[in-house]
Amino acid sequence: MPIAIHGRIFNESAKPFVQSMFDELAERSVNLLISESYQNFLSESGINYSNASFYDPTDGFVEADFMLSLGGDGTLLEAVTHVGKNETPIVGINTGRLGFLATIPPDKIRENIQELLTGNYEIEKRKLVSIESETDIFGRTNFGLNELGIMKTDSSSMIVVKAYLNGDYLNAYWADGLIISTPTGSTGYCMSVGGPLVMPTSDIFVIAPMSPHNLNVRPLVVSSDAVLTFEVESRSKNYLISLDSRSKVVDSTVKITMKQALFKAHLVKMPETNFLSTLRSKLNWGLDVRN
C-alpha cells in the first residue's frame, strides 16, 4: 500500500525540508496518496513530487502503510479522521507552531523518513472518544482523539449540563460548557480550562467544566471504560457540540452518549522523542531567567 500524506500551509522556511521529504520518498520509489486539499497547496507552493495519486477524505477511510501529517496538532487531528477505524499509523511532522502531537521538526524530516522506512520506530495506541445520539451529528467521523466539547452558543447565558456516569446521576454543571478529554487531549482544550496533565496512554477520561458557576466544581477523572450521558438545558434552546476541531449546533433536546471508541489512533513515536521531553520543551518547564 502507499504512504498517505495530508497537510496544511507551511512557512517558506519549511519549504526546503518538505521538498527533501518528497525527494527521499521519490528516491525510494514510494507510492504516495495525497489528500486533494494538500495537493492544491503543494501545486501552488511549487513542491515537486512523483508516484502520486490523490484521495478525497469524504469517500471513505484511507488505506495506507502510513499517514504523514504535515502541519501542527490540528492537522494531525484531521489525519485521524481520514484513517479512522483502519488505524493507519500516523507520523506527526510539525511545520506549524506548538505541537504536542506533531513532534518531528522540519530539519529532521528526511532523517525521520529514513527511520520510518527502515522500521526504527514505535507505535503508541491512543484512546479515542466516540459519541452517539438520536441525531446523526458527525456521520462516520463521530470520534475524536482530543476531546468532546459541550458548549453554549451565545455570549451571555451559561448552560446546564446534566451528566450521568454509567447510568448514575453525576452532577448538573452550571457553566459555559464541559470538556471530556482523552489522555491525549489533556494538553489541549482541557489544559486551558484547568484540567490535569495526563500521561497519554493512561486508562482514563477527564471531565473538566468551562467557567463553572459553582467554584467547588473541579475536574473529575473517570475510567476510560465509563459510559457518559449528557442532557443540556439552554435559554437559546440549542448548544454547540465539538469533536476536536469539528463542531455542530444542535437542539437542546438532543442527548449525547459518550464512550471509548472501538478502535484507536496509532501514532508513530520516533526514538528520540518522548512525552516528558515534549512537556518540558513546549511548556518551558525548568526555565528560569535567573539561570
Side-chain angles (χ1 to χ4, degrees):
M1 288 189 290
I3 288 181
I5 301 178
H6 175 60
R8 289 184 182 174
I9 295 173
F10 48 76
N11 295 327
E12 189 68 21
S13 60
K15 183 176 177 178
F17 303 110
V18 174
Q19 183 62 66
S20 71
M21 180 196 75
F22 281 103
D23 293 343
E24 179 72 25
L25 294 170
E27 289 172 10
R28 295 174 178 264
S29 300
V30 175
N31 293 321
L32 306 180
L33 185 59
I34 303 173
S35 68
E36 291 182 352
S37 61
Y38 199 46
Q39 174 204 4
N40 295 334
F41 173 71
L42 292 175
S43 299
E44 293 173 359
S45 61
I47 295 292
N48 298 312
Y49 53 84
S50 58
N51 303 323
S53 56
F54 310 98
Y55 74 90
D56 180 348
T58 63
D59 290 341
F61 294 129
V62 174
E63 294 186 7
D65 287 327
F66 299 97
M67 166 69 81
L68 305 185
S69 169
L70 284 82
D73 287 355
T75 311
L76 191 143
L77 295 177
E78 289 179 352
V80 170
T81 67
H82 291 193
V83 304
K85 63 183 179 181
N86 289 337
E87 297 184 328
T88 303
I90 301 174
V91 182
I93 299 171
N94 190 357
T95 60
R97 296 183 296 249
L98 184 67
F100 286 96
L101 300 173
T103 56
I104 297 175
D107 60 346
K108 298 289 185 180
I109 292 178
R110 189 158 190 158
E111 174 185 331
N112 279 272
I113 291 298
Q114 293 170 354
E115 299 275 17
L116 182 71
L117 296 178
T118 56
N120 188 23
Y121 63 88
E122 297 178 3
I123 297 290
E124 282 193 353
K125 298 180 180 181
R126 303 288 186 91
K127 292 177 175 57
L128 301 164
V129 296
S130 69
I131 65 166
E132 299 173 357
S133 68
E134 295 178 356
T135 303
D136 186 10
I137 300 174
F138 292 105
R140 65 182 178 84
T141 56
N142 65 332
F143 56 89
L145 174 59
N146 265 7
E147 73 271 317
L148 162 67
I150 299 173
M151 295 161 278
K152 66 179 185 177
T153 58
D154 55 68
S155 60
S156 56
S157 301
M158 67 181 68
I159 59 176
V160 180
V161 183
K162 294 182 178 179
Y164 299 83
L165 176 64
N166 297 327
D168 293 328
Y169 178 62
L170 172 61
N171 190 19
Y173 292 91
W174 294 66
D176 285 351
L178 205 61
I179 298 296
I180 303 89
S181 169
T182 66
T184 299
S186 73
T187 53
Y189 209 156
C190 184
M191 180 172 65
S192 70
V193 298
L197 296 179
V198 178
M199 296 299 291
T201 55
S202 303
D203 290 327
I204 58 93
F205 290 133
V206 178
I207 305 173
M210 303 169 59
S211 303
H213 186 65
N214 296 325
L215 297 181
N216 58 351
V217 176
R218 291 290 183 266
L220 177 67
V221 176
V222 300
S223 172
S224 61
D225 62 6
V227 177
L228 294 160
T229 305
F230 304 99
E231 301 174 358
V232 178
E233 296 178 4
S234 169
R235 289 183 183 177
S236 60
K237 305 302 181 185
N238 57 36
Y239 63 95
L240 187 72
I241 182 169
S242 69
L243 282 171
D244 294 342
S245 57
R246 292 159 290 130
S247 62
K248 293 285 184 66
V249 176
V250 298
D251 190 273
S252 59
T253 60
V254 175
K255 298 179 181 179
I256 301 295
T257 297
M258 191 220 83
K259 56 187 176 182
Q260 184 179 174
L262 297 177
F263 53 93
K264 295 181 180 180
H266 288 204
L267 304 188
V268 172
K269 178 178 174 291
M270 291 302 178
E272 70 276 10
T273 62
N274 66 69
F275 181 68
L276 297 180
S277 64
T278 300
L279 279 183
R280 289 194 301 272
S281 64
K282 302 302 181 182
L283 300 181
N284 294 327
W285 283 1
L287 296 184
D288 193 313
V289 294
R290 296 170 297 180
N291 299 327

